[in-house]
Amino acid sequence: MATLLHIDSSVFPGEASSSRSVTAAFRKSWGEQHPQGTVIYRDLAANPVPHITADAWSAGYAAPSERTPEQSAAFAARVKLIEELEQADTVLIGAPMYNYSIPSTLKAWLDNVLLLGRTAGETPSAQGTPVIVVASRGGSYAPGTPRENYEFVQNYLEAVFTGTLGLDLDFIVPELTMAPRNPAMSELVPLYEASRRRAFEDAAAKAKELAERLAA
């Protein structure tokens, strides 16, 4: 049976969150393709993982017999997150842009699962796993826009997921999500609506595409 690791990090619940709405659409389509599949779900806003500590970090480079009780406990929490990543056939992540970067809760998850010699290094343990990132944002930071130099979400996640973890990364980018709420952006509402519609279409299409790839 196929396993989906689904991670949301938006602080906003349900349909109030653009990233959650799109990840939900992907998950629905994925479930239709894999009715017997398994979903591992983490809501990092409701249940944040611990930020990396000295014990959790240093334990990754110490022999099990040499770890202190504190290191062992902290490392066990890291291993659980790592195993969820390694078990996944597909990874789905909601990564809204907050202050030009990803939510700190998602950064904490990444700090925990990045382990040199296991998930990172010459042969990453989850190498090749498809990861779909829904990178929503209130404005637009696409090439050619006035704020393209403020795009640190996709650039950062490309380095982490592709360059370090060796995952097969694809983005869905719902943008201009503040347009319906900000009068100064009212003229951009049609572009927002088009972006939102495209994001839902991409979510359904990518879920189906990955299902077909797994079945091949």
Side-chain angles (χ1 to χ4, degrees):
M1 294 188 297
T3 297
L4 174 69
L5 173 59
H6 175 187
I7 296 172
D8 279 324
S9 61
S10 172
V11 298
F12 298 104
E15 294 183 359
S17 163
S18 293
S19 64
R20 287 181 186 271
S21 296
V22 177
T23 60
F26 181 100
R27 178 169 167 175
K28 179 176 182 295
S29 180
W30 189 91
E32 290 169 353
Q33 308 300 320
H34 299 289
Q36 304 303 318
T38 299
V39 176
I40 302 170
Y41 181 60
R42 283 194 174 271
D43 185 336
L44 298 180
N47 296 290
V49 301
H51 283 279
I52 200 77
T53 63
D55 284 332
W57 184 271
S58 59
Y61 302 97
S65 61
E66 298 175 352
R67 292 171 186 154
T68 66
E70 292 78 15
Q71 285 178 316
S72 296
F75 192 65
R78 287 188 72 186
V79 168
K80 179 174 176 58
L81 299 174
I82 289 170
E83 288 177 343
E84 290 176 353
L85 174 63
E86 293 171 338
Q87 292 165 11
D89 296 292
T90 301
V91 180
L92 171 66
I93 297 177
M97 178 186 281
Y98 292 161
N99 299 317
Y100 311 119
S101 186
I102 61 174
S104 63
T105 51
L106 181 55
K107 179 61 164 59
W109 179 82
L110 287 168
D111 287 340
N112 276 280
V113 300
L114 279 164
L115 180 60
L116 187 62
R118 183 163 176 174
T119 59
E122 292 186 6
T123 55
S125 56
Q127 187 169 16
T129 302
V131 54
I132 304 297
V133 174
V134 179
S136 59
R137 59 277 314 276
S140 178
Y141 302 83
T145 62
R147 291 200 169 187
E148 68 172 299
N149 291 333
Y150 290 80
E151 166 42 68
F152 301 114
V153 171
Q154 289 177 262
N155 292 342
Y156 170 67
L157 294 180
E158 176 79 33
V160 173
F161 286 129
T162 301
T164 305
L165 295 174
L167 306 185
D168 182 8
L169 174 64
D170 202 354
F171 285 104
I172 298 174
V173 185
E175 61 179 10
L176 301 168
T177 62
M178 288 298 297
R181 306 185 192 101
N182 185 346
M185 298 175 67
S186 59
E187 63 182 21
L188 300 175
V189 168
L191 292 177
Y192 152 75
E193 292 173 341
S195 175
R196 179 177 171 83
R197 183 169 56 251
R198 186 166 55 250
F200 281 109
E201 291 171 353
D202 285 350
K206 291 181 191 299
K208 184 177 180 180
E209 175 190 337
L210 288 174
E212 292 172 349
R213 189 192 306 181
L214 287 172

Short mmCIF file of all heavy atoms in Angstrom, two decimals, residues 89-147:
data_model
loop_
_atom_site.label_atom_id
_atom_site.label_comp_id
_atom_site.label_asym_id
_atom_site.label_seq_id
_atom_site.Cartn_x
_atom_site.Cartn_y
_atom_site.Cartn_z
N ASP A 89 5.92 7.12 0.36
CA ASP A 89 6.06 7.00 -1.09
C ASP A 89 5.90 8.36 -1.75
O ASP A 89 6.40 8.59 -2.85
CB ASP A 89 5.01 6.04 -1.65
CG ASP A 89 5.20 4.63 -1.13
OD1 ASP A 89 6.21 4.00 -1.50
OD2 ASP A 89 4.35 4.16 -0.35
N THR A 90 5.18 9.24 -1.08
CA THR A 90 4.98 10.62 -1.53
C THR A 90 4.94 11.52 -0.30
O THR A 90 4.39 11.14 0.73
CB THR A 90 3.65 10.77 -2.30
OG1 THR A 90 3.65 9.89 -3.43
CG2 THR A 90 3.45 12.20 -2.79
N VAL A 91 5.52 12.71 -0.42
CA VAL A 91 5.51 13.69 0.67
C VAL A 91 4.77 14.94 0.17
O VAL A 91 5.04 15.43 -0.93
CB VAL A 91 6.94 14.06 1.11
CG1 VAL A 91 6.90 15.08 2.25
CG2 VAL A 91 7.71 12.81 1.53
N LEU A 92 3.85 15.42 0.97
CA LEU A 92 3.06 16.61 0.65
C LEU A 92 3.24 17.62 1.77
O LEU A 92 3.00 17.30 2.94
CB LEU A 92 1.58 16.22 0.52
CG LEU A 92 0.56 17.35 0.41
CD1 LEU A 92 0.75 18.12 -0.90
CD2 LEU A 92 -0.86 16.79 0.51
N ILE A 93 3.66 18.84 1.43
CA ILE A 93 3.96 19.84 2.45
C ILE A 93 3.31 21.18 2.12
O ILE A 93 3.47 21.69 1.01
CB ILE A 93 5.48 20.04 2.60
CG1 ILE A 93 6.14 18.74 3.08
CG2 ILE A 93 5.79 21.18 3.58
CD1 ILE A 93 7.64 18.82 3.18
N GLY A 94 2.59 21.71 3.08
CA GLY A 94 2.06 23.06 2.96
C GLY A 94 3.06 24.03 3.58
O GLY A 94 3.35 23.94 4.77
N ALA A 95 3.59 24.94 2.75
CA ALA A 95 4.65 25.84 3.21
C ALA A 95 4.30 27.29 2.85
O ALA A 95 4.82 27.84 1.88
CB ALA A 95 5.99 25.47 2.59
N PRO A 96 3.43 27.93 3.61
CA PRO A 96 3.11 29.33 3.33
C PRO A 96 4.32 30.22 3.60
O PRO A 96 5.18 29.88 4.41
CB PRO A 96 1.98 29.64 4.32
CG PRO A 96 2.20 28.68 5.45
CD PRO A 96 2.74 27.43 4.82
N MET A 97 4.37 31.34 2.91
CA MET A 97 5.45 32.30 3.12
C MET A 97 5.08 33.23 4.28
O MET A 97 4.07 33.93 4.23
CB MET A 97 5.71 33.13 1.87
CG MET A 97 6.80 34.19 2.04
SD MET A 97 6.98 35.30 0.62
CE MET A 97 7.93 34.27 -0.49
N TYR A 98 5.91 33.22 5.31
CA TYR A 98 5.76 34.15 6.44
C TYR A 98 7.02 34.99 6.52
O TYR A 98 8.11 34.46 6.74
CB TYR A 98 5.57 33.39 7.75
CG TYR A 98 4.25 32.65 7.87
CD1 TYR A 98 4.10 31.64 8.80
CD2 TYR A 98 3.17 32.96 7.06
CE1 TYR A 98 2.89 30.96 8.93
CE2 TYR A 98 1.97 32.29 7.17
CZ TYR A 98 1.83 31.29 8.11
OH TYR A 98 0.64 30.61 8.22
N ASN A 99 6.85 36.30 6.34
CA ASN A 99 8.00 37.20 6.41
C ASN A 99 9.14 36.74 5.49
O ASN A 99 10.30 36.70 5.90
CB ASN A 99 8.48 37.33 7.86
CG ASN A 99 7.42 37.89 8.76
OD1 ASN A 99 6.72 38.84 8.40
ND2 ASN A 99 7.24 37.29 9.94
N TYR A 100 8.77 36.37 4.27
CA TYR A 100 9.69 35.99 3.20
C TYR A 100 10.33 34.63 3.37
O TYR A 100 11.21 34.24 2.59
CB TYR A 100 10.79 37.05 3.01
CG TYR A 100 10.28 38.45 2.91
CD1 TYR A 100 10.64 39.42 3.84
CD2 TYR A 100 9.38 38.82 1.90
CE1 TYR A 100 10.13 40.71 3.76
CE2 TYR A 100 8.88 40.10 1.81
CZ TYR A 100 9.25 41.05 2.75
OH TYR A 100 8.75 42.32 2.67
N SER A 101 9.91 33.85 4.37
CA SER A 101 10.52 32.54 4.58
C SER A 101 9.43 31.54 4.98
O SER A 101 8.24 31.85 4.95
CB SER A 101 11.61 32.63 5.65
OG SER A 101 12.31 31.40 5.78
N ILE A 102 9.85 30.33 5.38
CA ILE A 102 8.90 29.31 5.78
C ILE A 102 8.55 29.47 7.26
O ILE A 102 9.29 30.11 8.01
CB ILE A 102 9.47 27.90 5.54
CG1 ILE A 102 10.75 27.66 6.35
CG2 ILE A 102 9.72 27.67 4.05
CD1 ILE A 102 11.29 26.25 6.28
N PRO A 103 7.44 28.91 7.72
CA PRO A 103 7.11 28.96 9.15
C PRO A 103 8.21 28.30 9.98
O PRO A 103 8.82 27.31 9.57
CB PRO A 103 5.80 28.17 9.24
CG PRO A 103 5.20 28.27 7.87
CD PRO A 103 6.36 28.26 6.93
N SER A 104 8.44 28.83 11.17
CA SER A 104 9.49 28.28 12.03
C SER A 104 9.19 26.83 12.40
O SER A 104 10.12 26.04 12.65
CB SER A 104 9.64 29.13 13.30
OG SER A 104 8.46 29.09 14.07
N THR A 105 7.92 26.45 12.45
CA THR A 105 7.56 25.07 12.78
C THR A 105 8.04 24.10 11.70
O THR A 105 8.47 22.98 12.00
CB THR A 105 6.05 24.93 12.96
OG1 THR A 105 5.39 25.50 11.81
CG2 THR A 105 5.59 25.65 14.21
N LEU A 106 7.95 24.53 10.44
CA LEU A 106 8.44 23.69 9.35
C LEU A 106 9.96 23.63 9.36
O LEU A 106 10.56 22.58 9.10
CB LEU A 106 7.94 24.23 8.01
CG LEU A 106 8.35 23.44 6.76
CD1 LEU A 106 7.95 21.97 6.86
CD2 LEU A 106 7.74 24.07 5.50
N LYS A 107 10.62 24.73 9.70
CA LYS A 107 12.08 24.73 9.83
C LYS A 107 12.50 23.77 10.93
O LYS A 107 13.51 23.05 10.80
CB LYS A 107 12.56 26.14 10.13
CG LYS A 107 14.08 26.27 10.31
CD LYS A 107 14.86 25.87 9.07
CE LYS A 107 16.30 26.35 9.08
NZ LYS A 107 17.10 25.86 10.21
N ALA A 108 11.74 23.72 12.03
CA ALA A 108 12.07 22.80 13.12
C ALA A 108 11.97 21.35 12.65
O ALA A 108 12.82 20.52 13.00
CB ALA A 108 11.14 23.05 14.31
N TRP A 109 10.94 21.05 11.86
CA TRP A 109 10.80 19.69 11.32
C TRP A 109 11.99 19.34 10.43
O TRP A 109 12.57 18.25 10.55
CB TRP A 109 9.49 19.57 10.54
CG TRP A 109 9.28 18.21 9.94
CD1 TRP A 109 8.78 17.10 10.57
CD2 TRP A 109 9.56 17.82 8.59
NE1 TRP A 109 8.75 16.03 9.70
CE2 TRP A 109 9.22 16.45 8.47
CE3 TRP A 109 10.07 18.49 7.48
CZ2 TRP A 109 9.37 15.74 7.28
CZ3 TRP A 109 10.23 17.79 6.28
CH2 TRP A 109 9.88 16.44 6.19
N LEU A 110 12.39 20.27 9.57
CA LEU A 110 13.53 20.04 8.69
C LEU A 110 14.82 19.83 9.48
O LEU A 110 15.62 18.94 9.17
CB LEU A 110 13.70 21.21 7.73
CG LEU A 110 12.66 21.32 6.60
CD1 LEU A 110 12.77 22.66 5.91
CD2 LEU A 110 12.84 20.18 5.61
N ASP A 111 15.02 20.64 10.51
CA ASP A 111 16.23 20.49 11.33
C ASP A 111 16.29 19.12 11.99
O ASP A 111 17.38 18.56 12.18
CB ASP A 111 16.28 21.57 12.41
CG ASP A 111 16.62 22.95 11.85
OD1 ASP A 111 17.17 23.00 10.73
OD2 ASP A 111 16.33 23.94 12.52
N ASN A 112 15.14 18.56 12.31
CA ASN A 112 15.10 17.24 12.93
C ASN A 112 15.35 16.11 11.93
O ASN A 112 16.01 15.13 12.26
CB ASN A 112 13.76 17.02 13.64
CG ASN A 112 13.72 17.61 15.03
OD1 ASN A 112 14.22 17.01 15.97
ND2 ASN A 112 13.12 18.79 15.17
N VAL A 113 14.82 16.23 10.72
CA VAL A 113 14.95 15.11 9.78
C VAL A 113 16.26 15.14 9.00
O VAL A 113 16.65 14.13 8.41
CB VAL A 113 13.76 15.05 8.79
CG1 VAL A 113 12.45 14.86 9.54
CG2 VAL A 113 13.71 16.26 7.88
N LEU A 114 16.95 16.27 8.99
CA LEU A 114 18.24 16.33 8.30
C LEU A 114 19.31 15.70 9.19
O LEU A 114 19.71 16.26 10.21
CB LEU A 114 18.61 17.79 8.00
CG LEU A 114 17.96 18.40 6.77
CD1 LEU A 114 18.06 19.91 6.79
CD2 LEU A 114 18.62 17.85 5.51
N LEU A 115 19.77 14.54 8.80
CA LEU A 115 20.77 13.82 9.59
C LEU A 115 21.86 13.30 8.66
O LEU A 115 21.62 12.39 7.86
CB LEU A 115 20.13 12.66 10.35
CG LEU A 115 21.08 11.81 11.22
CD1 LEU A 115 21.75 12.68 12.28
CD2 LEU A 115 20.32 10.66 11.87
N LEU A 116 23.03 13.88 8.76
CA LEU A 116 24.15 13.49 7.92
C LEU A 116 24.51 12.02 8.16
O LEU A 116 24.61 11.57 9.30
CB LEU A 116 25.36 14.38 8.22
CG LEU A 116 26.57 14.21 7.29
CD1 LEU A 116 26.22 14.58 5.87
CD2 LEU A 116 27.75 15.06 7.79
N GLY A 117 24.67 11.31 7.07
CA GLY A 117 24.96 9.89 7.17
C GLY A 117 23.72 9.02 7.09
O GLY A 117 23.81 7.79 7.00
N ARG A 118 22.54 9.66 7.11
CA ARG A 118 21.29 8.91 6.97
C ARG A 118 20.39 9.56 5.92
O ARG A 118 20.34 9.10 4.80
CB ARG A 118 20.57 8.78 8.32
CG ARG A 118 19.29 7.94 8.24
CD ARG A 118 18.81 7.48 9.58
NE ARG A 118 17.54 6.76 9.48
CZ ARG A 118 16.95 6.15 10.51
NH1 ARG A 118 17.51 6.17 11.71
NH2 ARG A 118 15.78 5.52 10.34
N THR A 119 19.73 10.65 6.28
CA THR A 119 18.87 11.31 5.30
C THR A 119 19.66 12.26 4.40
O THR A 119 19.17 12.67 3.35
CB THR A 119 17.75 12.11 6.00
OG1 THR A 119 18.36 13.09 6.86
CG2 THR A 119 16.85 11.20 6.79
N ALA A 120 20.85 12.63 4.82
CA ALA A 120 21.72 13.52 4.04
C ALA A 120 23.08 12.87 3.89
O ALA A 120 23.50 12.08 4.72
CB ALA A 120 21.85 14.88 4.74
N GLY A 121 23.76 13.23 2.80
CA GLY A 121 25.07 12.65 2.55
C GLY A 121 25.13 12.04 1.15
O GLY A 121 24.35 12.42 0.27
N GLU A 122 26.01 11.09 0.94
CA GLU A 122 26.21 10.52 -0.39
C GLU A 122 25.00 9.71 -0.86
O GLU A 122 24.67 9.72 -2.05
CB GLU A 122 27.46 9.64 -0.40
CG GLU A 122 28.76 10.43 -0.23
CD GLU A 122 29.98 9.55 -0.40
OE1 GLU A 122 29.83 8.36 -0.75
OE2 GLU A 122 31.10 10.05 -0.17
N THR A 123 24.36 8.98 0.05
CA THR A 123 23.20 8.16 -0.32
C THR A 123 22.04 8.44 0.65
O THR A 123 21.81 7.68 1.58
CB THR A 123 23.54 6.66 -0.30
OG1 THR A 123 24.08 6.32 1.00
CG2 THR A 123 24.56 6.33 -1.37
N PRO A 124 21.32 9.54 0.45
CA PRO A 124 20.22 9.88 1.35
C PRO A 124 19.18 8.76 1.40
O PRO A 124 18.81 8.19 0.37
CB PRO A 124 19.64 11.15 0.72
CG PRO A 124 20.75 11.72 -0.11
CD PRO A 124 21.50 10.52 -0.62
N SER A 125 18.69 8.47 2.60
CA SER A 125 17.81 7.31 2.79
C SER A 125 16.44 7.46 2.13
O SER A 125 15.77 6.46 1.88
CB SER A 125 17.63 7.04 4.29
OG SER A 125 17.15 8.19 4.97
N ALA A 126 16.00 8.68 1.84
CA ALA A 126 14.71 8.90 1.18
C ALA A 126 14.90 9.39 -0.25
O ALA A 126 13.98 9.92 -0.86
CB ALA A 126 13.86 9.88 1.96
N GLN A 127 16.08 9.19 -0.78
CA GLN A 127 16.43 9.72 -2.11
C GLN A 127 15.41 9.28 -3.17
O GLN A 127 15.01 8.12 -3.22
CB GLN A 127 17.81 9.22 -2.52
CG GLN A 127 18.34 9.84 -3.81
CD GLN A 127 19.81 9.53 -4.01
OE1 GLN A 127 20.37 8.63 -3.37
NE2 GLN A 127 20.46 10.27 -4.88
N GLY A 128 15.00 10.24 -4.00
CA GLY A 128 14.10 9.95 -5.10
C GLY A 128 12.63 10.03 -4.75
O GLY A 128 11.78 9.99 -5.65
N THR A 129 12.28 10.14 -3.47
CA THR A 129 10.87 10.24 -3.08
C THR A 129 10.27 11.54 -3.59
O THR A 129 10.84 12.61 -3.40
CB THR A 129 10.73 10.19 -1.54
OG1 THR A 129 11.32 8.98 -1.05
CG2 THR A 129 9.27 10.26 -1.13
N PRO A 130 9.12 11.48 -4.26
CA PRO A 130 8.48 12.71 -4.73
C PRO A 130 7.99 13.56 -3.55
O PRO A 130 7.40 13.03 -2.61
CB PRO A 130 7.28 12.21 -5.55
CG PRO A 130 7.56 10.77 -5.84
CD PRO A 130 8.37 10.28 -4.69
N VAL A 131 8.25 14.86 -3.61
CA VAL A 131 7.73 15.78 -2.60
C VAL A 131 7.06 16.94 -3.31
O VAL A 131 7.65 17.58 -4.19
CB VAL A 131 8.84 16.28 -1.64
CG1 VAL A 131 10.01 16.89 -2.37
CG2 VAL A 131 8.27 17.28 -0.62
N ILE A 132 5.81 17.17 -2.96
CA ILE A 132 5.03 18.29 -3.50
C ILE A 132 4.93 19.35 -2.41
O ILE A 132 4.44 19.07 -1.31
CB ILE A 132 3.62 17.85 -3.92
CG1 ILE A 132 3.68 16.69 -4.92
CG2 ILE A 132 2.84 19.03 -4.50
CD1 ILE A 132 4.34 17.04 -6.23
N VAL A 133 5.38 20.56 -2.71
CA VAL A 133 5.33 21.66 -1.75
C VAL A 133 4.33 22.70 -2.25
O VAL A 133 4.48 23.22 -3.35
CB VAL A 133 6.71 22.30 -1.54
CG1 VAL A 133 6.59 23.54 -0.65
CG2 VAL A 133 7.68 21.31 -0.94
N VAL A 134 3.32 22.98 -1.43
CA VAL A 134 2.37 24.05 -1.74
C VAL A 134 2.90 25.31 -1.09
O VAL A 134 2.77 25.51 0.13
CB VAL A 134 0.96 23.69 -1.23
CG1 VAL A 134 -0.01 24.85 -1.55
CG2 VAL A 134 0.47 22.40 -1.87
N ALA A 135 3.52 26.16 -1.90
CA ALA A 135 4.21 27.35 -1.39
C ALA A 135 3.32 28.58 -1.63
O ALA A 135 3.53 29.35 -2.57
CB ALA A 135 5.56 27.52 -2.09
N SER A 136 2.34 28.77 -0.78
CA SER A 136 1.43 29.90 -0.93
C SER A 136 2.08 31.18 -0.42
O SER A 136 2.98 31.15 0.40
CB SER A 136 0.13 29.63 -0.15
OG SER A 136 0.42 29.43 1.22
N ARG A 137 1.60 32.30 -0.95
CA ARG A 137 2.13 33.60 -0.51
C ARG A 137 1.13 34.70 -0.80
O ARG A 137 0.34 34.62 -1.75
CB ARG A 137 3.46 33.92 -1.17
CG ARG A 137 3.53 34.00 -2.68
CD ARG A 137 3.69 32.67 -3.40
NE ARG A 137 4.71 31.83 -2.79
CZ ARG A 137 6.01 31.94 -3.07
NH1 ARG A 137 6.44 32.81 -3.96
NH2 ARG A 137 6.87 31.12 -2.50
N GLY A 138 1.16 35.75 0.05
CA GLY A 138 0.20 36.83 -0.06
C GLY A 138 0.36 37.70 -1.28
O GLY A 138 -0.61 38.25 -1.80
N GLY A 139 1.62 37.85 -1.76
CA GLY A 139 1.89 38.63 -2.95
C GLY A 139 2.42 37.75 -4.06
O GLY A 139 2.11 36.56 -4.11
N SER A 140 3.23 38.33 -4.92
CA SER A 140 3.88 37.56 -5.97
C SER A 140 5.38 37.86 -5.93
O SER A 140 5.79 39.01 -5.84
CB SER A 140 3.33 37.91 -7.35
OG SER A 140 4.02 37.16 -8.35
N TYR A 141 6.16 36.79 -5.99
CA TYR A 141 7.61 36.91 -5.96
C TYR A 141 8.23 36.19 -7.15
O TYR A 141 9.38 35.80 -7.14
CB TYR A 141 8.15 36.32 -4.64
CG TYR A 141 7.55 37.02 -3.44
CD1 TYR A 141 6.30 36.64 -2.95
CD2 TYR A 141 8.20 38.08 -2.84
CE1 TYR A 141 5.72 37.30 -1.87
CE2 TYR A 141 7.63 38.75 -1.76
CZ TYR A 141 6.39 38.35 -1.29
OH TYR A 141 5.83 39.02 -0.22
N ALA A 142 7.42 36.07 -8.20
CA ALA A 142 7.85 35.38 -9.41
C ALA A 142 8.91 36.21 -10.15
O ALA A 142 9.00 37.43 -9.96
CB ALA A 142 6.65 35.12 -10.32
N PRO A 143 9.71 35.56 -10.99
CA PRO A 143 10.71 36.30 -11.78
C PRO A 143 10.06 37.44 -12.57
O PRO A 143 9.00 37.26 -13.17
CB PRO A 143 11.27 35.23 -12.71
CG PRO A 143 11.10 33.95 -11.96
CD PRO A 143 9.81 34.11 -11.22
N GLY A 144 10.67 38.60 -12.49
CA GLY A 144 10.16 39.77 -13.20
C GLY A 144 9.27 40.65 -12.36
O GLY A 144 8.95 41.79 -12.77
N THR A 145 8.87 40.18 -11.17
CA THR A 145 8.05 41.01 -10.29
C THR A 145 8.96 41.88 -9.44
O THR A 145 10.14 41.58 -9.25
CB THR A 145 7.15 40.15 -9.38
OG1 THR A 145 8.00 39.33 -8.54
CG2 THR A 145 6.24 39.26 -10.19
N PRO A 146 8.42 43.00 -8.90
CA PRO A 146 9.26 43.91 -8.10
C PRO A 146 9.94 43.25 -6.90
O PRO A 146 10.99 43.71 -6.47
CB PRO A 146 8.28 44.99 -7.66
CG PRO A 146 7.20 44.98 -8.69
CD PRO A 146 7.06 43.54 -9.09
N ARG A 147 9.34 42.19 -6.37
CA ARG A 147 9.90 41.58 -5.16
C ARG A 147 10.49 40.19 -5.41
O ARG A 147 10.57 39.37 -4.49
CB ARG A 147 8.82 41.50 -4.08
CG ARG A 147 8.44 42.86 -3.53
CD ARG A 147 7.78 42.74 -2.18
NE ARG A 147 7.64 44.04 -1.53
CZ ARG A 147 7.22 44.21 -0.28
NH1 ARG A 147 6.89 43.15 0.44
NH2 ARG A 147 7.14 45.41 0.24
#
